[in-house]
Amino acid sequence: MDPDPIQTLADLERTALARVDKVTREYWAHGAGKNITVRENATAFDQYRLRPRVLRNVSKIDMSTPVLKGLVADFPIGIAPSGWHKMAHPDGEAATAAAARALGSIMGVSMGTVVGASPEDCYSPEDVKAAGGDAAAFFQLYMFNDRKLMSDVLRRIEKAGYRAILLTVDTPYVGKRVSEIRNRPQLPRFLTTINFGTMVADTGSLKIDSSLVWEEILPWLRSTTSLEIWLKGISTAEDAALAVQHGVDGIVVSNHGGRQLDLCVPALDALPEVVAAVQGKIPVHVDGGVRRGEDVFRALALGADFVWIGRPALWGLACGGQQGVERMLTILREELKLCMGLAGCASLKEVTPACLRLVGSSAKL
Ligand SMILES: Cc1cc2nc3c(=O)[nH]c(=O)nc-3n(C[C@H](O)[C@H](O)[C@H](O)COP(=O)(O)O)c2cc1C
C-alpha cells in the first residue's frame, strides 16, 4: 500500500484548497490588506531554533493540560472559532466538534452559529454542543449593538452547556479583506442569509458595537452571565495587564489570523510581552500561523499555556469532514509529541524558554 499522501498540514492545505472553489479558497486563505500579518504569523516561528536535552527518560510523554475549571484536554491544541463550516463540508461545525471530542481536544464555537442562522444553512450552538460534548467548551462572542439580543444569546449558550465565552476584542470593525470585498457577489446563498459579519453592512439591522470599553463591557458581561469570560485578540502587554486588572478568566493572544489589522505584530512575537505582563495570574493562550507540532512547541516554550489553530480545521473538514479534522489534529498531536521527546521534555512544564535559541544568537532565551 502506498503511504498516506497527507503527512503534514501543508499536504492537507494543498489538498483542501484544490477541492474548493476560488471564493472559498480566498475566504479562508486571505486576511486584511496585503496579507502581511497572515504571512508573518507563520514565519515568526522560524526565528527560533530548538536546544534539545538528552538522557531524560522520555519513554512516557504527558501532554495533558487543564483548560477550564474541571476540563482537561489530552494535548494543548484546540480549534479556534471560525464561521461557516458548511462551506467546507455539509456536516459543518457538528463534524468539527465531534472530531475535537474524539481526540480529547477542545473547540471554540463561532458566533456565526447564532445570528440569523437557519437550520439548513448552519448548525445551531445546541447542535454543536450535542456533537462536541465537553469539547465544545468555549463560545465565541461578537458584541453587537443590541444588548437585548446579546443577553438572549448569552442565556442561550449558558443553557446549551458551554463553559466559557470567548469575547473577540480585535473586531470593533471588520478588517479590510480585499478578496472578500471583491468576491462578495458570488458568496454562497447560505452566507447571504446569515445576518452577520461582513454581511451586516448589507442588511443594516445589526452592527458590531465599536464603542466598547473595559470599564463598561466587563461588568456588563459579569452581571449577565455566570460563564467564564475570556478575551480573544490581545496583542500587547498593556491590554494583558488590563485584562488581569478587570478580572478576566483567560486571554488568547491573537490577531484574528491576520484578518483584522494588517501589519499587526505577529501573534508569536506578541506572546512574550503578554506572558511577562500576566505573571501567571491567568492562562495565556495563542493562535495564528501554527502549522506543525514544532510551532506548538515553540509557542509553549515562549510561555503559552495552550495553542489554537484556525485555518487547518477548515482544510481538514474539506478533506473528509470529521475524519479530516481528526487527521489534522492527529498530525499536530503526534508531531508535538515527537518534538517533545526529541527535545528531552516528558511533560509540558519542561517546555520552557531554555528549549529555544533565537536564530543568529548564541545564547538561550
Ligand atoms: C475563515 C475564518 C473565519 C473566522 N471566523 C472567526 C469568527 O467567527 N470569530 C473569531 O473570533 N475568529 C474567527 N477567525 C479567526 C480564528 O479564530 C483564529 O484567530 C485564526 O484563524 C488563527 O489563525 P490561523 O488561521 O493562522 O490558525 C476566523 C478565521 C478564519 C480563517
Side-chain angles (χ1 to χ4, degrees):
M1 208 171 81
D2 288 339
D4 185 340
I6 296 179
Q7 292 293 329
T8 66
L9 265 54
D11 297 333
L12 193 65
E13 175 178 21
R14 212 168 31 248
T15 310
L17 296 189
R19 282 186 184 189
V20 297
D21 61 17
K22 176 174 175 286
V23 174
T24 305
R25 193 158 51 239
E26 294 189 352
Y27 172 63
W28 290 350
H30 293 180
K34 292 184 170 180
N35 294 312
I36 290 174
T37 302
V38 174
R39 274 196 303 281
E40 289 186 353
N41 272 346
T43 56
F45 287 90
D46 287 331
Q47 304 163 83
Y48 297 98
R49 293 292 179 270
L50 308 182
R51 299 180 68 251
R53 298 294 307 277
V54 298
L55 300 177
R56 286 159 65 102
N57 187 4
V58 287
S59 57
K60 288 200 187 71
I61 294 176
D62 181 10
M63 297 193 287
S64 66
T65 185
V67 183
L68 295 171
K69 284 177 204 95
L71 179 68
V72 175
D74 287 353
F75 55 104
I77 303 168
I79 298 175
S82 60
W84 307 322
H85 289 195
K86 284 199 179 189
M87 282 175 90
H89 191 276
D91 296 343
E93 285 83 357
T96 315
R101 177 187 217 162
L103 270 287
S105 172
I106 59 151
M107 174 183 178
V109 178
S110 166
M111 184 140 176
T113 54
V114 177
V115 183
S118 76
E120 88 236 38
D121 294 333
C122 199
Y123 287 94
S124 70
E126 291 81 7
D127 296 332
V128 186
K129 183 70 192 165
D134 280 349
F138 287 83
F139 192 87
Q140 179 263 327
L141 215 63
Y142 286 121
M143 283 298 297
F144 290 105
N145 54 1
D146 179 342
R147 286 288 167 100
K148 163 81 175 64
L149 173 112
M150 295 312 300
S151 57
D152 289 350
V153 167
L154 284 165
R155 234 191 325 278
R156 187 170 152 189
I157 62 164
E158 216 167 285
K159 189 152 168 254
Y162 288 89
R163 307 278 288 276
I165 62 161
L166 206 48
L167 176 68
T168 299
V169 289
D170 58 19
T171 310
Y173 300 99
V174 175
K176 182 170 177 177
R177 303 173 194 161
V178 180
S179 54
E180 265 179 56
I181 296 165
R182 291 209 178 102
N183 291 334
R184 187 189 285 198
Q186 305 149 43
L187 286 170
R189 185 192 63 80
F190 63 81
L191 289 191
T192 62
T193 63
I194 294 176
N195 187 13
F196 177 63
T198 52
M199 308 314 293
V200 166
D202 279 351
T203 60
S205 58
L206 271 181
K207 289 208 171 18
I208 291 179
D209 185 349
S210 50
S211 74
L212 300 181
V213 289
W214 295 92
E215 307 76 57
E216 190 276 328
I217 189 60
L218 290 164
W220 185 84
L221 285 169
R222 281 266 172 254
S223 66
T224 312
T225 180
S226 59
L227 301 182
E228 284 196 25
I229 296 168
W230 288 54
L231 301 183
K232 172 176 183 280
I234 299 289
S235 287
T236 61
E238 294 92 315
D239 284 338
L242 282 167
V244 172
Q245 197 182 311
H246 286 272
V248 161
D249 294 291
I251 55 179
V252 184
V253 175
S254 170
N255 51 48
H256 217 116
R259 298 164 78 79
Q260 284 298 101
L261 179 64
D262 198 18
L263 297 173
C264 189
V265 196
L268 190 77
D269 291 349
L271 183 61
E273 69 173 68
V274 168
V275 168
V278 164
Q279 297 177 326
K281 290 179 184 142
I282 54 173
V284 176
H285 294 191
V286 66
D287 76 23
V290 173
R291 299 295 180 260
R292 50 195 298 210
E294 293 86 341
D295 294 346
V296 178
F297 183 91
R298 287 179 279 189
L300 298 173
L302 288 174
D305 295 299
F306 193 86
V307 171
W308 301 72
I309 42 94
R311 293 174 178 88
L314 300 169
W315 307 334
L317 258 186
C319 295
Q322 178 181 342
Q323 222 180 17
V325 181
E326 286 185 22
R327 173 152 32 169
M328 182 280 293
L329 285 171
T330 305
I331 290 171
L332 277 182
R333 183 193 65 196
E334 292 307 307
E335 286 179 350
L336 173 62
K337 190 172 175 189
L338 183 60
C339 182
M340 286 176 66
L342 294 175
C345 300
S347 72
L348 296 176
K349 68 175 185 321
E350 292 168 48
V351 183
T352 66
C355 299
L356 300 183
R357 197 170 106 170
L358 266 174
V359 169
S361 153
S362 56
K364 64 183 176 191
L365 285 188

